[in-house]
Amino acid sequence: AYFRTYFLGSIAVVMYNVGASILQSVGNSRSPMKYLITASLINIVLDLLFIGVLGYGVAAAAFATIISQSVSAILAFSKLMRSKEAWAVSWRKVRFDGPMLHGVILQGLPSGIQNSVISLANVIVQANINSFGALAMAGCGSYSKVCLLAPWLIGAFSSEADVVAFGVRQAHTIALFYFLLAFSHCCAGILRGLGRPIVPMAVMLAVWCALRITYITVTLHFIHDIGVIFWAYPLTWSISSLMFLHYLRHCTIPRVGGGA
């Protein structure tokens, strides 16, 4: 029920990513961040309204996500349509361009494969979380919506003490390491900009997928504690950050005006 509803609005995710990428490519990273924050707040409020107040089913959570993502896409393209610069969007001029399409596919296909496989890996991680029961599922699901003020905000999703405890434990384990996730994504963006999209794809598939799943599967066999799953993220983010740092320090980077 959730996925059938969610995929009806998946075009909103695509359109937001397109608009945000255009803005970021011309140096405006603040606007996409504002739109994403706005969408996240709308999503949280609608989740609480549809499920907590009105008591609708799980499909309502997906519908709340569709609405919030649609808002972010509309905001991004409104910004682009109002722009007076060369990158302004005019819907009457939108058409396919052969050489540009080739470049987009060349750069985008590795990222698409990477994100698809990482999403599949996250499903496997979620399956391991599910093995700890419904309270763990609820706590981790609530944590995914918040990072700050965890006990109070997670408590807004559920009053069960164990649910809040699971969510808070995940927050205390992961939240301080998000800078490593950001660093890895920045390095991946730099490498894609240098025309080397295969490198970030290889690093992220090897570390965020293969190593993460292997670590969780093997370690849980000996230590059946949900903290093992929580620590998988900081550990793999740390390793990918070190790999990207090593590569960027030793690879050839062209300078503006020639040279390297």
Side-chain angles (χ1 to χ4, degrees):
Y2 182 91
F3 278 118
R4 285 177 176 173
T5 305
Y6 179 84
F7 280 120
L8 288 174
S10 58
I11 188 64
V13 182
V14 175
M15 295 304 292
Y16 167 76
N17 286 333
V18 170
S21 296
I22 295 172
L23 291 169
Q24 289 167 348
S25 70
V26 297
N28 184 355
S29 58
R30 182 175 298 179
S31 293
M33 181 186 70
K34 290 179 180 178
Y35 305 151
L36 202 57
I37 291 173
T38 301
S40 298
L41 293 174
I42 291 173
N43 196 3
I44 292 171
V45 171
L46 291 179
D47 277 345
L48 293 171
L49 174 63
F50 291 161
I51 299 175
V53 177
L54 300 178
Y56 294 157
V58 68
F63 188 61
T65 302
I66 290 173
I67 294 174
S68 63
Q69 290 172 339
S70 298
V71 169
S72 66
I74 291 171
L75 290 172
F77 273 92
S78 296
K79 175 78 172 180
L80 291 168
M81 292 170 64
R82 294 194 307 269
S83 174
K84 303 299 182 183
E85 305 292 342
W87 56 80
V89 170
S90 174
W91 291 107
R92 291 177 297 178
K93 298 180 180 179
V94 173
R95 60 181 56 85
F96 285 110
D97 177 88
M100 185 63 69
L101 181 61
H102 177 266
V104 169
I105 292 175
L106 193 66
Q107 292 286 339
L109 189 59
S111 291
I113 294 172
Q114 164 198 309
N115 291 332
S116 297
V117 177
I118 288 175
S119 296
L120 180 60
N122 286 336
V123 171
I124 299 173
V125 173
Q126 183 62 47
N128 283 281
I129 292 175
N130 295 353
S131 69
F132 287 89
L135 296 177
M137 294 165 59
C140 296
S142 300
Y143 162 77
S144 68
K145 300 288 187 183
V146 299
C147 287
L148 301 174
L149 303 175
W152 298 277
L153 292 181
I154 292 174
F157 289 89
S158 174
S159 58
E160 288 274 356
D162 288 340
V163 172
V164 175
F166 276 116
V168 170
R169 185 179 178 189
Q170 187 175 13
H172 287 175
T173 304
I174 296 176
L176 290 177
F177 296 93
Y178 269 115
F179 73 96
L180 294 171
L181 174 64
F183 180 79
S184 291
H185 277 301
C186 287
C187 292
I190 291 170
L191 291 169
R192 294 189 192 103
L194 291 171
R196 303 174 190 177
I198 299 298
V199 176
M201 181 189 75
V203 170
M204 290 179 175
L205 292 186
V207 179
W208 292 8
C209 296
L211 180 60
R212 184 178 291 171
I213 292 173
T214 302
Y215 157 78
I216 291 174
T217 303
V218 173
T219 309
L220 278 180
H221 182 74
F222 298 99
I223 308 172
H224 193 70
D225 183 81
I226 198 169
V228 168
I229 301 174
F230 297 160
W231 275 107
Y233 292 94
L235 289 173
T236 51
W237 293 342
S238 299
I239 293 170
S240 65
S241 295
L242 290 172
M243 292 175 69
F244 280 129
L245 182 62
H246 176 78
Y247 185 88
L248 285 172
R249 284 176 59 86
H250 294 88
C251 72
T252 301
I253 299 178
R255 295 183 183 275
V256 176

